[in-house]
Amino acid sequence: MAEQNHIILIKNMVCNRCVLVVTEILKGLHLTPLNVELGKAVVQEELKPDDWKNIKEALEKYGFEWIDDKRMRIIEQIRTAIIELVHYEDNASKLKLSEYLKEKCHYDYSFLSKLFSEVNGVSIEKYYIAQKVERIKELLIYDELSISEIADLLQYSSVAHLSTQFRNVTGMTPSQFKQLKEHKREPLDEI
């Protein structure tokens, strides 16, 4: 049995609820999920062409996509790694982003950067910053941490650096955002 016939790469998985939904989708298709994580599921059964068709259709009903193109698989690995780093790791890695992605994706950063920019029309760095800004918005809305604590958590060199990036992306300072009555956040899979 080829191991590839057990692995399903999935686009638009951005949170723990996505993991639960994909797990239920697979069970609904009478498959046995061995491991489901952001961007990837491993099932016990060897998947046949009809299984792939059914998986694709079931995933699409919930806004997910099966990734069967090698370039898109790499892009999704990059996106998933950045989302995990920014949104799910406490005290995000002190590694440089380039080193982190090289380690996670097993490709040279220059290759990853070029591919990501070609396919998405935006650099990895801009995507990373956009994810960090969404995380900042989330933390500001929760109102449990000061801006200084948020800067430390997300590895900013200073509050001023965080504020500048936030203002460049949103057009307002973190304090102005916090004062809004309606907080506009973007779904992670649409960033």
Side-chain angles (χ1 to χ4, degrees):
M1 282 189 265
E3 187 170 311
Q4 282 300 107
N5 289 333
H6 300 275
I7 299 172
I8 307 161
L9 295 177
I10 305 165
K11 184 175 180 179
N12 297 333
M13 289 182 72
V14 296
C15 65
N16 291 332
R17 278 187 300 276
C18 295
V19 171
L20 293 172
V21 170
V22 168
T23 301
E24 291 306 312
I25 289 170
L26 296 173
K27 287 178 181 178
L29 294 171
H30 307 291
L31 297 170
T32 309
L34 300 175
N35 181 39
V36 180
E37 57 190 56
L38 295 181
K40 179 179 167 184
V42 180
V43 295
Q44 183 174 343
E45 298 79 9
E46 184 171 353
L47 299 170
K48 309 285 189 260
D50 280 348
D51 293 326
W52 288 111
K53 180 180 172 280
N54 293 336
I55 291 168
K56 181 180 186 299
E57 289 172 2
L59 289 172
E60 286 174 353
K61 287 180 187 173
Y62 292 90
F64 302 111
E65 293 177 40
W66 166 51
I67 305 170
D68 61 346
D69 173 77
K70 183 178 180 180
R71 288 169 39 110
M72 291 309 294
R73 287 180 183 194
I74 297 169
I75 295 297
E76 195 60 22
Q77 277 184 305
I78 295 167
R79 290 179 72 238
T80 299
I82 290 172
I83 288 170
E84 286 176 345
L85 175 66
V86 173
H87 297 276
Y88 300 109
E89 286 194 20
D90 291 332
N91 288 320
S93 172
K94 296 214 185 245
L95 283 176
K96 290 169 115 179
L97 179 61
S98 58
E99 292 298 318
Y100 176 79
L101 290 175
K102 184 177 175 183
E103 182 181 303
K104 284 291 215 177
C105 300
H106 310 290
Y107 287 99
D108 183 65
Y109 181 76
S110 61
F111 167 77
L112 296 173
S113 178
K114 183 178 177 194
L115 177 64
F116 194 87
S117 294
E118 279 176 14
V119 173
N120 292 331
V122 66
S123 71
I124 286 176
E125 186 65 30
K126 284 192 187 271
Y127 180 75
Y128 178 59
I129 290 168
Q131 288 294 340
K132 285 177 80 170
V133 166
E134 284 308 308
R135 179 75 169 133
I136 293 165
K137 287 179 184 178
E138 176 184 18
L139 294 169
L140 289 171
I141 291 167
Y142 292 161
D143 201 23
E144 295 174 354
L145 300 174
S146 69
I147 293 176
S148 178
E149 290 169 323
I150 293 170
D152 286 343
L153 179 71
L154 295 176
Q155 304 299 315
Y156 279 95
S157 57
S158 67
V159 171
H161 183 219
L162 177 149
S163 295
T164 300
Q165 267 191 359
F166 191 88
R167 187 174 46 251
N168 288 343
V169 173
T170 65
M172 64 184 88
T173 67
S175 298
Q176 290 169 328
F177 176 82
K178 204 171 179 177
Q179 293 171 355
L180 291 176
K181 296 244 187 271
E182 184 180 315
H183 297 288
K184 179 79 171 120
R185 292 188 52 215
E186 301 294 327
L188 298 182
D189 59 339
E190 293 180 13
I191 295 176

